Amino acid sequence: QVHLQESGPGLVKPSGTLSLTCAVTGDAVISNNWWSWVRQSPGMGLQWIGEVFHGGSMNYQPSLTGRVTISLDRSNGRFSLTLNSVTAADTAVYFCARRPISGAFLDYWGQGVLVTVSS
Amino acid sequence: QSVLTQPPSVSGAPGQGVTISCTGGSSNIGANYNVHWYQHLPGTAPKLLISDNHNRPSGVPERFSGSRSGTSASLAITGLQAEDEGFYYCQSYDSRVSGPVFGGGTKLTVL
């Protein structure tokens, strides 16, 4: 069974950098899947942040391009999210998820981690 | 403001059925991109409920079904059970974002 688990600081200061990691078990990050991040701000719906493929391809939410980087750690079976210059608007529950290369849906998700941007 | 529009809430008694709508536009559902549905129960990871408009992943009960027409899609749940209570999200692909877009979510209450 595929399992994803997010980890990282729950509090980040404004203008700082948000860094999260997603540990993947039950699958290899070099498999034919895209590895994605999605967030949910308080009281809001879900927003796709971006995704990475082991071949080196990445896709990002246009509104976040320039601040966001998603990368793979092939040797440790995990992938990461880095978001720079954060503001209170980046406060959200962040989820990692898997998207099969053959589909446009996310078939496995982590439980999510709350990140608050505050001084 | 979510790209796809869902009703904020629906409710039904145990054993009854409900339908959740999802309305998009010409750059997503109307462009013939597939619609997918997720169930998010409190304290758990979101779960894929319906893929590609109407396909149920292994383990999803037949009580859940999906359909798509024009710029809209629907999720139907029959035989409501208490454990169905939670949030439901639709998702499609949007050519303006070049990635997935979601609905705002619908809270299902089982009375």
Side-chain angles (χ1 to χ4, degrees):
Chain A
Q1 181 74 338
V2 179
H3 184 73
L4 290 82
Q5 180 67 58
E6 306 89 348
S7 63
L11 181 65
V12 182
K13 294 189 186 312
S15 76
T17 297
L18 181 158
S19 296
L20 296 174
T21 296
C22 181
V24 179
T25 55
D27 191 10
V29 295
I30 58 171
S31 61
N32 281 333
N33 296 287
W34 289 83
W35 302 98
S36 309
W37 288 95
V38 176
R39 70 181 181 179
Q40 183 173 30
S41 300
M44 305 287 286
L46 298 165
Q47 181 188 40
W48 173 73
I49 298 171
E51 60 186 4
V52 63
F53 189 72
H54 70 82
S57 297
M58 292 159 287
N59 298 309
Y60 296 129
Q61 169 72 238
S63 63
L64 297 175
T65 298
R67 291 204 296 137
V68 63
T69 303
I70 298 175
S71 59
L72 276 180
D73 181 347
R74 294 172 179 78
S75 58
N76 289 304
R78 59 190 186 189
F79 62 105
S80 298
L81 167 70
T82 300
L83 185 64
N84 299 318
S85 305
V86 297
T87 69
D90 296 309
T91 294
V93 175
Y94 287 77
F95 298 94
C96 58
R98 187 185 85 166
R99 179 172 76 82
I101 195 172
S102 59
F105 51 85
L106 301 165
D107 61 354
Y108 289 98
W109 296 63
Q111 280 199 309
V113 61
L114 173 63
V115 179
T116 301
V117 179
S118 175
S119 54
Chain B
Q1 191 82 1
S2 298
V3 176
L4 306 180
T5 301
Q6 298 179 234
S9 63
V10 296
S11 62
Q16 289 188 334
V18 296
T19 299
I20 300 173
S21 62
C22 175
T23 302
S26 59
S27 60
N28 42 72
I29 302 175
N32 212 33
Y33 291 114
N34 290 329
V35 177
H36 322 289
W37 292 89
Y38 303 90
Q39 177 190 60
H40 191 196
L41 306 180
T44 68
K47 173 186 175 183
L48 178 65
L49 207 57
I50 297 288
S51 65
D52 296 337
N53 307 315
H54 56 78
N55 294 331
R56 277 187 308 275
S58 175
V60 174
E62 292 182 4
R63 303 188 295 108
F64 297 91
S65 63
S67 63
R68 185 194 75 181
S69 179
T71 58
S72 297
S74 294
L75 172 71
I77 309 172
T78 59
L80 280 173
Q81 300 178 3
E83 54 262 38
D84 296 334
E85 199 164 86
F87 288 86
Y88 293 79
Y89 296 89
C90 61
Q91 178 244 311
S92 186
Y93 177 90
D94 192 290
S95 59
R96 286 185 285 191
V97 174
S98 295
V101 290
F102 293 88
T106 298
K107 182 177 182 180
L108 169 63
T109 300
V110 181
L111 302 170

